[in-house]
Amino acid sequence: MAIDLQQIGKRFRFYTHLNELEMNDLKAMTGSDEETLNNILNGCNILLDELVAIVKNFPDLNPQWLIYGEGSMFKPKGENGDCHDTPKNCLKKDKAAYLQQMKNMLIELDAAEVAKGHHADVDALMSKLNELKAKATE
C-alpha cells in the first residue's frame, strides 16, 4: 500500500484541530521546529524519522490511521491507559463554530479517502460531530 504524504498531512491536521492544538502547542509537545511540523501538516517533505518521532508524542493517535487511513483515529481505550473524550469537554472555542469547522474538515478528508478507494471511520465521526453540534446549539 502506497503512502500518500498529503493524506497524512490532512489526517494529522484533522487530529490537531480536533484536539485544539496550535503550532506553539505542537512545538512544545514534540520538540520539533515549526518548519518540520508545517511540512507534516501540509503533506510535503516528510521524513519517516521525523514523523515517527512526532507520533510518539500523541499516545492516543493510531499511527495506522495516520499513515494509511485505516481503522479508528484513536487507539482503542485502554491500550495506553487513556480515555478519549474528544472533542474536549472544555472547548476553548465557540462549540458550535468549532464543530462546524471539524465537520467541514471531515467532509474534505472523507472525499480524499473515497477518491483513494478506501473509506475510513468517517461516518462514525460525522455522526458524532452532528450529535455534538445539535447539543451545542440547544
Side-chain angles (χ1 to χ4, degrees):
M1 179 178 301
I3 295 175
D4 185 331
L5 299 180
Q6 289 184 335
Q7 288 298 95
I8 291 171
K10 286 180 182 180
R11 286 189 284 269
F12 190 60
R13 197 167 47 249
F14 183 81
Y15 172 84
T16 59
H17 277 79
L18 185 66
N19 287 290
E20 297 186 285
L21 300 172
E22 304 291 334
M23 182 57 72
N24 287 335
D25 299 322
L26 293 173
K27 287 179 357 186
M29 291 172 71
T30 65
S32 297
D33 60 66
E34 191 165 339
E35 180 180 2
T36 299
L37 291 166
N38 274 323
N39 284 343
I40 292 171
L41 289 167
N42 294 315
C44 60
N45 301 324
I46 300 173
L47 297 177
L48 186 57
D49 291 341
E50 292 172 339
L51 184 61
V52 169
I54 287 171
V55 170
K56 286 181 181 179
N57 294 289
F58 303 97
D60 65 335
L61 178 60
N62 179 356
Q64 188 75 16
W65 174 81
L66 179 65
I67 296 170
Y68 300 109
E70 296 175 353
S72 173
M73 177 189 321
F74 298 104
K75 290 180 182 173
K77 289 181 182 181
E79 187 172 321
N80 59 7
D82 292 339
C83 176
H84 327 295
D85 273 339
T86 54
K88 293 178 181 176
N89 289 329
C90 301
L91 293 174
K92 295 180 267 185
K93 304 174 184 175
D94 170 55
K95 193 171 186 175
Y98 168 76
L99 293 170
Q100 183 60 48
Q101 178 187 20
M102 295 309 302
K103 184 176 179 179
N104 292 341
M105 289 182 73
L106 190 56
I107 290 168
E108 178 187 341
L109 184 60
D110 184 41
E113 292 292 331
V114 169
K116 289 290 181 185
H118 50 85
H119 193 76
D121 295 56
V122 175
D123 292 332
L125 288 170
M126 183 70 76
S127 174
K128 185 68 173 172
L129 283 171
N130 286 333
E131 178 185 314
L132 291 170
K133 187 175 180 187
K135 288 180 183 177
T137 56
E138 291 177 352

